[in-house]
Amino acid sequence: MNRKYTAEHIAFITANIKGCSFRDLTDMFNRQFGFELTISAVISLADRHGLHNGRDARFNKGHEPTYFRKGMAPWNKGKKGVTCGGKETQFGKGRKPWNYRPVGSERTNVDGYVEIKIADPKTWKAKHVLLWEAAHGPIPKGHVVIFADGNKQNVTLENLLLLSRRELAVMNKKGLIANDAELTKAGVVVADIYLKIGERKRK
């Protein structure tokens, strides 16, 4: 997947890479931006911008060695209490983590859905589900809420449709979900007709 990285992404890598393992750096990056990058993707991103963690770049271009070679010195030799990101990322009494987001914050997950943080420490819920439930109550069991126009970023009440999973299955199978809200709504009617025909055949 080709992803366009912003100046904010590069600045984050630059600020936190020194002395930090790529595994930890990848975890930090994904939590900060809601991504699911692999370690190799972060290594590649850092390498493209000439960024190295100072631990092992001279041995294998940024990948962490799996064993020590004769004559190699540990990256943290002579350093006491070194942590990824430097002093600014260390915890002090009463301080929140560097990646803390307050309740009410929004993010977009890897599937493209907007999520809202509803509780500490890390409880997130889809924004479109919260919007629907605020207007209509809990989503009934066996039902889902979809976007009429197929745009997951268009989180408005009039763009949301409540479907049973049976309706959704028929609409997916018959290609009745469109990028046009009115066509999708018409597709729901067609899906219901298919379901009724199937019920009569079974009887």
Side-chain angles (χ1 to χ4, degrees), residues 16-141:
N16 292 281
I17 192 171
K18 188 176 181 181
C20 189
S21 73
F22 279 106
R23 180 180 300 279
D24 289 341
L25 183 62
T26 300
D27 289 341
M28 293 162 61
F29 188 92
N30 287 337
R31 288 197 301 269
Q32 175 71 9
F33 298 106
F35 290 173
E36 288 190 355
L37 297 184
T38 61
I39 296 174
S40 60
V42 173
I43 291 173
S44 177
L45 173 61
D47 190 59
R48 287 199 303 273
H49 290 83
L51 302 173
H52 304 285
N53 61 11
R55 296 176 58 169
D56 39 50
R58 57 182 174 150
F59 297 108
N60 52 6
K61 300 186 70 175
H63 291 273
E64 296 171 66
T66 56
Y67 60 92
F68 283 99
R69 299 177 184 175
K70 186 176 181 179
M72 287 177 60
W75 69 273
N76 59 345
K77 182 179 180 180
K79 299 179 181 180
K80 184 177 181 180
V82 174
T83 57
C84 294
K87 292 183 179 179
E88 67 275 9
T89 62
Q90 295 181 15
F91 288 99
K93 187 175 182 179
R95 293 184 62 186
K96 291 182 171 62
W98 61 270
N99 61 338
Y100 174 78
R101 296 190 187 183
V103 173
S105 298
E106 293 189 7
R107 71 181 183 185
T108 300
N109 67 21
V110 292
D111 295 317
Y113 291 99
V114 178
E115 295 179 324
I116 296 179
K117 186 175 183 180
I118 60 174
D120 284 325
K122 297 178 181 180
T123 305
W124 297 78
K125 191 168 183 178
K127 183 176 181 179
H128 68 285
V129 172
L130 290 170
L131 181 61
W132 175 270
E133 291 183 335
H136 304 286
I139 295 175
K141 185 177 180 180

Side-chain angles (χ1 to χ4, degrees), residues 142-144 162-173 176-177 187-189 191-192 195:
H143 289 68
V144 294
L162 179 70
L163 301 177
S164 69
R165 292 195 178 276
R166 293 179 63 207
E167 287 174 319
L168 181 61
V170 172
M171 292 184 72
N172 283 327
K173 183 177 180 180
L176 299 174
I177 299 177
V188 176
V189 176
D192 287 338
L195 288 171

